[in-house]
């Protein structure tokens, strides 16, 4: 797990999802220890986020993609939940509304990219426009096939403006998805999550795998890498995502900015005021 960058899709390579085991939990000692480690990592992530916010120069964009029940919500809760809400925003992208559909596909995501100092989490993202849009033929091939280049340009623009980008594909097996759907059916606390489309979408499983492979292949770049996270075990998924976030943020060498004021002058002023006050009270 210390080498979690092995889940990174090397630029230009083409991962075969069928060859990547979604149930992998290599190198991790077990659920209980993983939880303790995630907790410790979470606390450090919070500190690093504070530095990012204080530095106010760079930002972080985390894109989460998965098939239904793939664990996007859980990852946000258990890993990104450590971040301070002041300085961290989550955006969920659903079927484009009328305003969004009337514009280019990047419009709605671009306006939700993080400000300097901020972390933005995309629950689904602009990648839907080369995934669901492709699988369901919402636009012709001539349109979606040009989007990879547009996405790469867009992400480069963000990167050149100080935004660090991490993209996670939470890779689950078809069997695990079914187990999770069953759990939702049986658990009254989860039944609200069930949608008509979820089960229907399973028919397109192979098409989605192919669409994901193409997106990973075309759009994993040095400045905006894709990671394929084995996600059948929720604890392992959380551990892997938290370690990658940690290593990325540590790598930024974030520093508190120097004070913007003359501290000595301000101290002298306070001292004078305090001395005056003490004098009056005596
Ligand atoms: P949950 O875990 O709660 O089900 P979710 O992310 O699946 O979360 P939903 O509201 O169930 O949220 O689904 C959002 C739907 O919107 C998905 O089916 C997704 O494919 C679809 N969607 C997202 N972006 C686009 C897009 N650009 N074009 C068409 N459909 C999209
Ligand atoms: Mg859904």
């Amino acid at each position: 797990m210390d080498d979690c960058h092995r889940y990174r899709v090397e630029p230009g390579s083409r991962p075969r999802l069928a060859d990547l085991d979604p149930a992998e939990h290599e190198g991790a000692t077990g659920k209980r220890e993983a939880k303790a480690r995630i907790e410790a990592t979470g606390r450090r992530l919070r500190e690093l986020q504070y530095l990012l916010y204080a530095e106010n120069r760079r930002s972080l964009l985390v894109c989460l993609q998965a098939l239904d029940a793939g664990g996007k919500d859980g990852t946000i809760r258990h890993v990104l939940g450590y971040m301070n809400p002041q300085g961290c925003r989550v955006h969920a992208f659903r079927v484009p509304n009328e305003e969004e559909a009337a514009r280019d596909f990047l419009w709605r995501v671009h306006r939700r990219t993080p400000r300097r100092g901020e972390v933005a989490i995309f629950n689904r993202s602009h990648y839907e426009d080369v995934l669901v849009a492709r699988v369901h033929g919402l636009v012709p091939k001539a349109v979606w096939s040009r989007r990879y280049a547009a996405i790469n340009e867009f992400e480069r623009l963000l990167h050149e403006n100080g935004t660090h980008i991490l993209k996670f594909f939470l890779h689950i097996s078809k069997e695990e998805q079914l187990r999770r759907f069953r759990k939702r059916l049986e658990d009254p606390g989860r039944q609200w999550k069930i949608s008509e489309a979820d089960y229907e979408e399973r028919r397109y499983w192979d098409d989605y795998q192919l669409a994901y492979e193409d997106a990973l292949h075309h759009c994993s770049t040095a400045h905006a890498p894709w990671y394929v996270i084995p996600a059948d075990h929720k604890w392992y998924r959380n551990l892997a995502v938290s370690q990658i976030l940690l290593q990325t943020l540590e790598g930024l060498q974030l520093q508190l900015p120097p004070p913007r004021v003359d501290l000595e002058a301000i101290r002298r002023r306070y001292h004078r005021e305090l001395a005056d006050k003490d004098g009056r009270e005596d």
Side-chain angles (χ1 to χ4, degrees):
M1 177 49 64
D2 291 314
D3 175 28
C4 48
H5 284 295
R6 71 198 155 99
Y7 296 130
R8 187 170 49 199
V9 178
E10 288 312 314
S13 70
R14 190 172 209 295
R16 271 183 46 85
L17 290 173
D19 295 341
L20 302 174
D21 179 10
E24 183 190 303
H25 50 280
E26 220 52 41
T29 29
K31 193 168 173 173
R32 188 185 302 207
E33 277 187 40
K35 283 200 167 158
R37 193 148 167 214
I38 292 163
E39 167 96 41
T41 304
R43 283 197 298 271
R44 179 67 186 142
L45 283 178
R46 206 181 161 93
E47 289 168 7
L48 290 165
Q49 184 209 358
Y50 180 75
L51 294 178
L52 186 79
Y53 188 76
E55 187 196 71
N56 197 29
R57 270 200 316 125
R58 294 171 285 178
S59 60
L60 178 69
L61 171 61
V62 179
C63 295
L64 288 175
Q65 284 288 157
L67 293 176
D68 285 302
K72 295 181 274 88
D73 292 357
T75 307
I76 293 172
R77 236 184 2 260
H78 295 293
V79 180
L80 298 149
Y82 283 98
M83 303 243 176
N84 182 345
Q86 172 144 309
C88 179
R89 289 170 207 239
V90 183
H91 303 282
F93 294 98
R94 304 218 153 79
V95 179
N97 63 26
E98 201 265 332
E99 277 289 307
E100 294 166 344
R103 294 175 166 90
D104 72 87
F105 79 103
L106 291 172
W107 179 79
R108 66 174 183 162
V109 278
H110 202 167
R111 53 206 290 271
R112 292 182 171 89
T113 51
R115 293 172 59 107
R116 290 196 184 97
E118 266 187 6
V119 178
I121 298 155
F122 285 180
N123 180 344
R124 301 188 187 269
S125 65
H126 42 300
Y127 283 93
E128 290 292 326
D129 294 280
V130 290
L131 296 165
V132 67
R134 166 180 174 173
V135 169
H136 287 286
L138 305 180
V139 291
K141 180 170 183 183
V143 172
W144 60 253
S145 61
R146 292 163 60 100
R147 287 180 172 167
Y148 303 111
I151 289 174
N152 286 341
E153 281 301 308
F154 168 63
E155 291 179 356
R156 169 166 293 286
L157 174 72
L158 299 183
H159 176 75
E160 286 171 356
N161 281 275
T163 300
H164 284 257
I165 305 172
L166 291 175
K167 301 175 295 198
F168 295 106
F169 169 53
L170 310 178
H171 179 38
I172 56 166
S173 63
K174 208 173 172 184
E175 298 71 41
E176 177 62 19
Q177 187 191 50
L178 193 61
R179 271 196 290 277
R180 292 184 187 180
F181 282 169
R182 194 174 57 204
K183 217 163 163 189
R184 286 183 182 182
L185 270 177
E186 287 164 2
D187 177 356
R190 294 176 205 244
Q191 284 164 356
W192 67 273
K193 281 197 159 209
I194 301 170
S195 82
E196 197 72 59
D198 286 355
Y199 197 84
E200 282 298 302
E201 286 291 278
R202 280 173 66 78
R203 282 202 287 140
Y204 301 96
W205 184 273
D206 292 340
D207 298 337
Y208 271 110
Q209 301 292 303
L210 182 65
Y212 266 106
E213 285 177 357
D214 277 342
L216 300 167
H217 167 60
H218 290 299
C219 301
S220 195
T221 55
H223 57 272
W226 265 111
Y227 291 83
V228 178
I229 305 295
D232 273 6
H233 296 289
K234 296 175 180 176
W235 60 271
Y236 190 76
R237 168 201 79 203
N238 292 341
L239 184 61
V241 172
S242 69
Q243 295 308 305
I244 293 165
L245 278 166
L246 178 70
Q247 289 181 16
T248 303
L249 285 175
E250 294 280 16
L252 295 185
Q253 318 259 330
L254 296 158
Q255 303 275 342
L256 282 176
R260 284 170 295 178
V261 292
D262 180 348
L263 290 182
E264 263 319 301
I266 289 185
R267 241 178 236 130
R268 278 198 300 275
R269 217 158 66 207
Y270 286 163
H271 283 160
R272 212 177 309 128
E273 193 179 324
L274 279 173
D276 287 353
K277 188 164 166 281
D278 287 348
R280 273 201 308 278
E281 280 170 7
D282 281 345

